[in-house]
Amino acid sequence: MSLKSRSAVVTGSTSGIGLAIARALAKDGANVMLNGFGEAAAIETERAGIEREFGVQALYSPADMSKPVEIAGMIAGAGKAFGAVDILVNNAGIQYVSPIEDFPVEKWDQIIAINLSSAFHGMRAAVPGMKKRGWGRIISTASAHSLVASPFKSAYVSAKHAIAGLTKTIALETATFGITVNCISPGYVWTPLVEKQIPDTMKARGLTKDQVINDVLLAAQPTKQFVSVDEVAGIAVFLCSDGAKNITGANISVDGGWTAA
Ligand code: NAD
């Protein structure tokens, strides 16, 4: 329970990696603010379940990560409710796949806003309190696409590369204040999002489920295994520990060897 008395905001935590990170931080004793879209009843069940299971305070913010004013409001609200925002996890993200000549301009703007600018706005709002208290942990869920590119993902790859640069910059700005700023770069993670793509890909490419998994999704991943959400969450918890106080400005790959190739 090393995070007892700490409080965290995890963006995009109604599903997938963000939910696993929020649950892992709560398991380690932190109060958590959930955020993201979804069905109200399901989100409430998850929120109440975290409080019951881990004995922490869990709140939910519906803030839209494409809206700077809502992001600042979420951080201020968490600070008021918990007394502090000690941990900020910038995790909300979306994807869109298209050749650049057909890439919708509004999709580019949306991905840059949600996958990149939201982290800027969140950090901008959370850093002053962390500096004042002399302790903070900022983690962004980047991607293997912060290090290498794939075709047809211009906005996503641009946003994720930029997150790695933003991470390094804010790490340098906050290094003497007891704050660390890092990103985690997963390869393919088994989330509902990835799972839901399989039937459509089977149909579109005329492949079996195994072929989609092995020849399409895992083609880039030398281990030929999906990363699990819990593996990503475990790294986030470690980065929040005192043992990780000298890890800052890092981009930690969890990609089954993808970016070693
Ligand atoms: P997911 O779709 O399961 O979760 C995305 C979360 O973001 C959801 O809670 C969703 O409601 C929220 N969200 C989306 N738009 C939002 C908005 N405008 N405002 C607030 N919340 C919003 O996806 P995931 O796979 O868990 O992805 C989480 C992060 O991990 C993303 O940044 C993604 O790029 C990154 N990532 C995922 C993988 C993977 O293979 N799944 C790999 C590398 C990186």
Side-chain angles (χ1 to χ4, degrees), residues 11-18 35-38 62-66 90-94 114-115 141-144 156 160 185-194 229:
T11 75
S13 49
T14 52
S15 170
I17 295 169
N35 160 259
F37 301 146
D64 182 338
M65 290 303 104
S66 66
N90 302 303
N91 170 80
I94 58 166
I114 296 168
N115 297 19
T141 310
S143 165
Y156 189 88
K160 295 298 186 182
S185 283
Y188 273 111
V189 185
W190 189 255
T191 66
L193 194 86
V194 168
V229 293

Side-chain angles (χ1 to χ4, degrees), residues 28-87:
D28 213 41
N31 297 319
V32 290
M33 178 169 271
L34 300 175
N35 160 259
F37 301 146
E39 201 216 313
I43 293 170
E44 175 52 21
T45 301
E46 193 57 60
R47 188 203 64 74
I50 288 174
E51 287 197 332
R52 213 174 31 246
E53 199 173 336
F54 304 119
V56 299
Q57 203 182 343
L59 301 172
Y60 166 67
S61 163
D64 182 338
M65 290 303 104
S66 66
K67 307 224 162 85
V69 172
E70 293 190 23
I71 298 166
M74 175 185 68
I75 299 293
K80 220 169 175 182
F82 295 138
V85 175
D86 303 300
I87 299 164

